[in-house]
Amino acid sequence: MKEMAMEWSTLLCVPLVAKTVEQMVADMAAAKAAGADLVEIRLDHLSAFRPREDLEFLLKGRPLPAIVTYRPKWEGGEYEGDDNQRFEALCIAMDLGVEYVDIELKVAEEFVRLISGKKPENFKLIVSSHNYQSTPSSEELGSLVARIQAIGADIVKVTTTAVDIVDVTRMFQVIVHCQEKQVPMIGLVMGERGEISRLLCPKFGGYLTFGTLDAGKGSAPRQPTISDLLNVYNIRNIRADTKVYGLIGKPVGQSKSPILHNAAFKSVGFNAVYVPLLVDDLANFLSAYRSTDFAGFSCTLPHKQTAVKCCDELDPIAKSIGAVNTIIRRPADGKLVGYNTDYIGAISAIEDGIRGSQAKDAAVSPLAGKLFVVIGAGGAGKALAYGAKEKGARVMIANRTYERARELANLIGGHALMLAELESVGLTLGKSLNLKMIGFYPNICSNLATMTWVQWSTGCRPSIQPMHWVEQALRSYAVVFDAVYTPKVTRLLREASESGTTVVSGVEMFIRQAMRQFELFTAPESLMRHITSNL
């Protein structure tokens, strides 16, 4: 996936999928106001379509150039009638001066014969192929493009489906090849694993990408909104030499990291974009996206510990923790260097939370001598356990699987607990040792009603049955911290706050670890060399 000189600017197209022509006209005006370059008029979505009258209404005085598409059911559309009627409607659109018509590869030869010698001067024919099951090999994609060209397409459109995010690399390769040959191509990969094909279109030379007016108003799976394309991903600023950063995880859709990092890049004028990367196999992903253009990654569940094995080198802290949440590709040699910024983000947030309620000497960590209870032995749990131990705290670790808690406790010199022991820790141990405890809940948070556990990304869910010991137990903690940041106030933090305990939101950890990642992402090569010189 090499860089190339851009020959055209990627256009932003809003699909119009309303049921009435009146709403389509209104949506067209909204697309113009939102910053779109053109619209796609999906005739097959109209509930009652009258070709001549409706096309005149839609195209007369239109504020933007338009693609007219009349997609049949057999190609993923809504139209179930005769092809001849479709062809007639598309010809009417041409006669009315529409800029583009999109026709399916399966019937393209017939349509090309029909319009032979009748194409207006500034009209372009898009011939499209859709694969709703998978993404073929690079060779098969190349052959498909050649076949579409041979029919007489002015613009080639190939849309496939991502089974794995690695599939997208093949589409990027074909788009780059087409641009080198001066062949305009729309190449998109559907599904969440293919989302970057839509976001990175300008980098690889795609003719256009689609952005919806609102979520749920798309014409294909995982189309982003035009607002997100422009305001979150700053797509107008993406060029062939733009560096790509992103969040590797499963899931990633809930993350606010793209909003945070892209805004930061824009504020300092750094030529980069940060995208969500739904990754199933970390090693395969890093091997496929090995270009230096893919310059760095945040790493979240479930890949933080796997990343340790995938990096060529590790920062000493990440090595000690045994978990990586930041990967930097060193420009000089392309090697992957792993760091852990969870440790810095969460520990500093907890320390400031304690200092906020107890003014103490800033030179001495307020964690020193405290009993620090960690629930969870995953990547974030490891970071916090390590950090607390380094700050002089006495660390206890509880986990759904006791063996994992014991393994981490042995690694950092702490004590392992079974989840069932948490009540006694809160009610008995704190009193007998005369110690106030720091409660840390990474990645998973408690449903206080049933003591079941849910993924961190969902936040704490409301309880159904009261748990009589909860309020008393939480009072035994000086500070309760929840790594969940959506919602900002989880059920755990609300219960703790109502019990009079100082609480620290996961938003603090999120911001602080991201700040350190941003420093690593934007560090000049000379600083990167210095940072890694003693690894």
Side-chain angles (χ1 to χ4, degrees):
M1 293 182 292
K2 62 182 180 179
E3 296 176 3
M4 63 288 166
M6 296 294 291
E7 298 296 335
W8 50 71
S9 297
T10 298
L11 302 174
L12 299 187
C13 181
V14 170
L16 306 181
V17 293
K19 297 298 182 184
T20 67
V21 290
E22 291 80 9
Q23 186 59 54
M24 277 195 178
V25 168
D27 288 347
M28 206 180 308
K32 170 75 172 178
D37 299 306
L38 71 163
V39 293
E40 181 188 38
I41 299 173
R42 287 292 299 268
L43 300 179
D44 52 298
H45 281 260
L46 291 171
S47 57
F49 176 53
R50 301 164 302 170
R52 174 67 63 176
E53 297 91 332
D54 288 347
L55 281 167
E56 285 182 351
F57 184 77
L58 287 165
L59 296 176
K60 185 178 180 180
R62 61 190 178 280
L64 290 170
I67 303 169
V68 168
T69 303
Y70 205 176
R71 192 77 72 213
K73 201 84 171 179
W74 47 260
E75 189 81 355
E78 300 293 324
Y79 179 74
E80 296 186 87
D82 179 78
D83 276 343
N84 290 327
Q85 293 181 18
R86 287 200 307 128
F87 293 172
E88 180 182 354
L90 296 177
C91 287
I92 291 172
M94 290 174 55
D95 291 341
L96 292 172
V98 76
E99 289 79 10
Y100 306 86
V101 159
D102 181 329
I103 192 69
E104 301 76 30
L105 174 60
K106 183 178 176 181
V107 295
E109 287 189 58
E110 183 181 352
F111 187 72
V112 167
R113 285 195 299 270
L114 179 65
I115 65 172
S116 178
K118 301 176 184 177
K119 287 174 62 175
E121 184 176 349
N122 295 320
F123 169 81
K124 291 183 172 61
L125 179 65
I126 301 171
V127 176
S128 58
S129 170
H130 297 78
N131 184 325
Y132 290 93
Q133 286 74 47
S134 63
T135 299
S137 67
S138 297
E139 293 75 16
E140 290 172 304
L141 287 173
S143 297
L144 181 59
V145 168
R147 182 182 165 198
I148 292 173
Q149 279 185 270
I151 285 174
D154 297 304
I155 299 170
V156 173
K157 181 181 179 184
V158 177
T159 303
T160 64
T161 301
V163 177
D164 190 284
I165 195 169
V166 170
D167 297 344
V168 185
T169 62
R170 301 195 290 279
M171 186 64 77
F172 285 155
Q173 289 165 356
V174 172
I175 295 172
V176 169
H177 180 73
C178 279
Q179 195 184 57
E180 289 173 345
K181 300 296 184 182
Q182 299 295 300
V183 177
M185 180 180 177
I186 304 166
L188 301 169
V189 185
M190 294 179 287
E192 190 175 2
R193 290 167 177 81
E195 188 171 9
I196 58 170
S197 71
R198 302 180 181 278
L199 305 178
L200 299 180
C201 262
K203 179 172 180 60
F204 296 100
Y207 188 80
L208 65 77
T209 190
F210 291 93
T212 66
L213 281 177
D214 299 295
K217 285 190 175 181
S219 56
R222 296 302 298 186
Q223 286 177 343
T225 65
I226 189 168
S227 176
D228 282 351
L229 287 174
L230 291 170
N231 302 319
V232 174
Y233 298 102
N234 305 311
I235 196 167
R236 297 290 192 196
N237 296 325
I238 298 176
R239 309 187 301 266
D241 60 348
T242 296
K243 296 296 184 183
V244 179
Y245 297 83
L247 175 66
I248 295 171
K250 185 181 180 182
V252 292
Q254 81 292 334
S255 176
K256 306 300 182 185
S257 291
I259 298 174
L260 191 67
H261 282 288
N262 284 314
F265 289 157
K266 185 177 182 180
S267 71
V268 300
F270 188 63
N271 183 19
V273 62
Y274 186 102
V275 296
L277 302 163
L278 179 57
V279 172
D280 298 288
D281 187 305
L282 180 59
N284 285 348
F285 169 82
L286 293 172
S287 176
Y289 291 86
R290 59 184 177 275
S291 163
T292 54
D293 280 2
F294 289 82
F297 310 100
S298 307
C299 193
T300 189
L301 289 172
H303 300 304
K304 290 185 179 185
Q305 295 173 70
T306 304
V308 172
K309 301 175 183 178
C310 293
C311 289
D312 300 301
E313 299 173 7
L314 293 174
D315 175 80
I317 292 177
K319 186 175 183 179
S320 297
I321 293 171
V324 163
N325 82 318
T326 309
I327 301 173
I328 302 296
R329 192 181 303 279
R330 193 160 54 203
D333 55 14
K335 287 190 174 180
L336 299 174
V337 184
Y339 299 85
N340 191 300
T341 69
D342 282 338
Y343 153 75
I344 299 169
I347 288 294
S348 66
I350 294 170
E351 286 180 321
D352 287 351
I354 300 171
R355 290 189 181 108
S357 58
Q358 304 172 19
K360 293 198 174 181
D361 183 1
V364 178
S365 173
L367 291 176
K370 297 294 191 302
L371 187 61
F372 194 95
V373 180
V374 180
I375 301 181
K382 285 186 173 184
L384 266 292
Y386 170 86
K389 192 68 177 179
E390 286 290 297
K391 297 291 186 175
R394 299 178 59 185
V395 181
M396 290 188 170
I397 299 148
N399 192 64
R400 280 174 292 190
T401 305
Y402 177 72
E403 290 303 316
R404 290 195 68 189
R406 188 170 63 179
E407 181 182 339
L408 178 54
N410 291 339
L411 181 66
I412 59 105
H415 180 73
L417 297 171
M418 292 186 293
L419 287 179
E421 297 180 85
L422 286 175
E423 178 178 356
S424 63
V425 169
L427 298 178
T428 306
L429 189 55
K431 293 179 180 178
S432 65
L433 296 178
N434 195 28
L435 291 171
K436 281 289 186 178
M437 291 172 288
I438 313 301
F440 170 65
Y441 297 78
N443 299 337
I444 51 178
C445 61
S446 60
N447 177 329
L448 297 172
T450 63
M451 285 305 291
T452 58
W453 304 87
V454 296
Q455 289 292 326
W456 69 272
S457 61
T458 62
C460 290
R461 297 171 181 173
S463 64
I464 298 172
Q465 300 174 353
M467 211 167 192
H468 300 297
W469 62 269
V470 167
E471 184 178 352
Q472 188 177 357
L474 287 173
R475 285 174 179 168
S476 299
Y477 289 80
V479 175
V480 171
F481 169 65
D482 194 336
V484 176
Y485 66 86
T486 303
K488 183 176 181 179
V489 179
T490 63
R491 174 167 168 76
L492 173 64
L493 294 185
R494 180 168 59 82
E495 293 280 349
S497 181
E498 290 172 356
S499 299
T501 302
T502 298
V503 298
V504 179
S505 169
V507 172
E508 284 298 316
M509 174 183 174
F510 173 61
I511 292 172
R512 293 167 191 238
Q513 62 83 26
M515 288 169 60
R516 176 59 180 148
Q517 285 184 335
F518 179 75
E519 292 173 0
L520 291 168
F521 289 160
T522 59
E525 183 171 351
S526 58
L527 179 57
M528 291 293 294
R529 288 180 181 277
H530 174 73
I531 292 172
T532 59
S533 60
N534 296 318
L535 295 184

